[in-house]
Amino acid sequence: MKEIIKERAAQIDKALNEYLPSRDNPQSVIYDAMRYSLFAGGKRLRPLLMLETAKMCGGDENEIIPFACSMEMIHTYSLIHDDLPAMDNDDLRRGKPTSHIKFGEAIAILAGDALLNKAFEIVSEYNGANPQRTIKAISVLANSSGTEGMIGGQIVDIESEGHTISSDKLEYLHSLKTGAIIRSSCVIGALLSDATDEKINAVDEFAKNLGIAFQIQDDILDVTGTEDELGKPIGSDAEENKNTYVSLFGLEKSKELSALYSGKAKDALSVFGDKAEFLSQLTDYLINRKK
Ligand code: GRG
């Protein structure tokens, strides 16, 4: 498992490096800032999910590297902006000073914006075998990172700070903030592999539950992890009065919930038989992760 994760990360890193070289021009600092956050050591989980879903659906995962890179750029942009003083005001991310600490706020904002633009530039130039599916995949990418997806979840999160919300609202918040691009990573992998609607729906159900399980583990790690392991401060959720699975349900119940959702995720893969082995194992690996 760890070997495959490492190999996939190296494959993505190589492609990202080609898509985003340093440049010697008057605005060179923007490439430096984009690369700084992009290569700060993320797990490359979303590209991994996209590529492995494509493989499970019988597609050629190497064909969809551009989409996988775009997804990682969008994810990285969201982290840069999330760390800004106007949002979470964090100084450390992926074990390194956050973008605004290193480059200042203006460049950090622009680096996030530029990563988002670059992501859509890359996929709009994609020349896949099925143009209709490509357009659909671009629409899924845009939707999941926008107001009905990640940005929507971030809004609900910001507006929920400082008061306790219901468990339904917490699930709604996380299914958008964290879940939406995990879901679209998998759905795009299926779409671009010409999967049937039945298989796309199964993949969607898998990813929906995985996203929640992943977030619960993230909340657990914010309490039980170490700054060294996580590469970011721990206890920040409680400090910022954030609603989390741990604050709402406590640690033990959160662990049970994470097992429940990951079980549902794995069940959704049954239609794929043996081909689902890797994603099923990855689900267990992610809910037991330490970082
Ligand atoms: C600012 C538009 C905007 C959105 C911000 C995704 C997000 C919304 C904020 C990031 C903060 C956070 C803790 C989100 C929960 C999702 C999550 C666990 C992100 C971290 O993903 P990993 O663990 O990170 O895959 P790496 O660094 O490994 O890529």
Side-chain angles (χ1 to χ4, degrees):
M1 170 68 46
K2 277 193 176 159
E3 263 321 293
I4 298 184
I5 296 177
K6 235 170 115 180
E7 275 167 31
R8 287 286 187 217
Q11 187 182 14
I12 292 299
D13 284 357
K14 184 170 175 286
L16 285 172
N17 193 35
E18 283 161 16
Y19 277 124
L20 204 62
S22 307
R23 297 179 73 164
D24 185 15
N25 61 16
Q27 67 271 34
S28 65
V29 67
I30 194 69
Y31 309 103
D32 296 344
M34 291 159 85
R35 289 178 58 86
Y36 174 79
S37 295
L38 207 48
F39 295 106
K43 293 186 284 297
R44 311 302 191 213
L45 170 64
R46 292 144 195 86
L48 173 69
L49 285 168
M50 193 186 289
L51 300 185
E52 291 297 330
T53 302
K55 195 172 166 191
M56 178 178 75
C57 293
D60 179 352
E61 69 273 23
N62 298 314
E63 286 285 311
I64 63 167
I65 296 276
F67 271 88
C69 288
S70 296
M71 187 60 84
E72 187 64 18
M73 288 182 188
I74 290 174
H75 168 59
T76 303
Y77 121 72
S78 82
L79 299 180
I80 296 175
H81 282 192
D82 188 62
D83 290 333
L84 287 167
M87 296 215 201
D88 276 1
N89 195 17
D90 281 322
D91 291 354
L92 205 61
R93 165 76 66 182
R94 292 174 165 176
K96 295 171 79 172
T98 44
S99 183
H100 62 276
I101 296 291
K102 171 96 178 157
F103 294 96
E105 253 183 88
I107 300 294
I109 292 169
L110 292 168
D113 294 342
L115 282 166
L116 179 60
N117 273 292
K118 190 74 191 172
F120 282 100
E121 184 187 321
I122 292 169
V123 291
S124 66
E125 286 168 359
Y126 184 72
N127 204 3
N130 187 335
Q132 267 174 339
R133 289 262 169 154
T134 301
I135 289 170
K136 177 71 188 161
I138 296 174
S139 151
V140 168
L141 184 66
N143 184 273
S144 66
S145 44
T147 48
E148 282 79 55
M150 182 175 70
I151 289 178
Q154 180 77 344
I155 297 289
V156 179
D157 194 13
I158 290 170
E159 302 223 312
S160 306
E161 263 171 51
H163 58 271
T164 305
I165 57 173
S166 68
S167 56
D168 280 354
K169 196 154 184 193
L170 185 70
E171 182 169 321
Y172 178 79
L173 185 173
H174 287 309
S175 65
L176 297 191
K177 180 178 153 179
T178 308
I181 66 167
I182 289 186
R183 233 171 125 177
S184 63
S185 296
C186 296
V187 168
I188 289 169
L191 267 172
L192 295 177
S193 304
D194 278 334
T196 59
D197 284 352
E198 187 206 0
K199 288 192 169 160
I200 294 172
N201 289 338
V203 160
D204 193 26
E205 185 65 18
F206 157 72
K208 200 165 75 181
N209 287 291
L210 175 66
I212 301 285
F214 181 78
Q215 179 60 50
I216 298 174
Q217 181 62 10
D218 198 67
D219 289 352
I220 292 174
L221 288 174
D222 193 61
V223 177
T224 62
T226 65
E227 185 168 313
D228 255 9
E229 278 168 342
L230 295 180
K232 60 178 186 178
I234 56 153
S236 54
D237 290 340
E239 215 166 274
E240 287 158 29
N241 280 325
K242 290 227 169 186
N243 286 280
T244 71
Y245 280 88
V246 178
S247 73
L248 221 57
F249 296 102
L251 205 50
E252 285 316 306
K253 179 79 183 161
S254 296
K255 286 179 187 165
E256 279 171 33
L257 284 171
S258 145
L260 178 82
Y261 283 105
S262 62
K264 283 190 190 177
K266 290 188 287 182
D267 287 350
L269 293 177
S270 61
V271 58
F272 295 99
D274 292 350
K275 290 204 171 94
E277 191 56 34
F278 179 83
L279 286 180
S280 185
Q281 281 180 19
L282 180 65
T283 303
D284 289 333
Y285 176 83
L286 289 174
I287 68 148
N288 291 307
R289 75 188 193 282
K290 295 277 179 271
K291 61 178 199 165

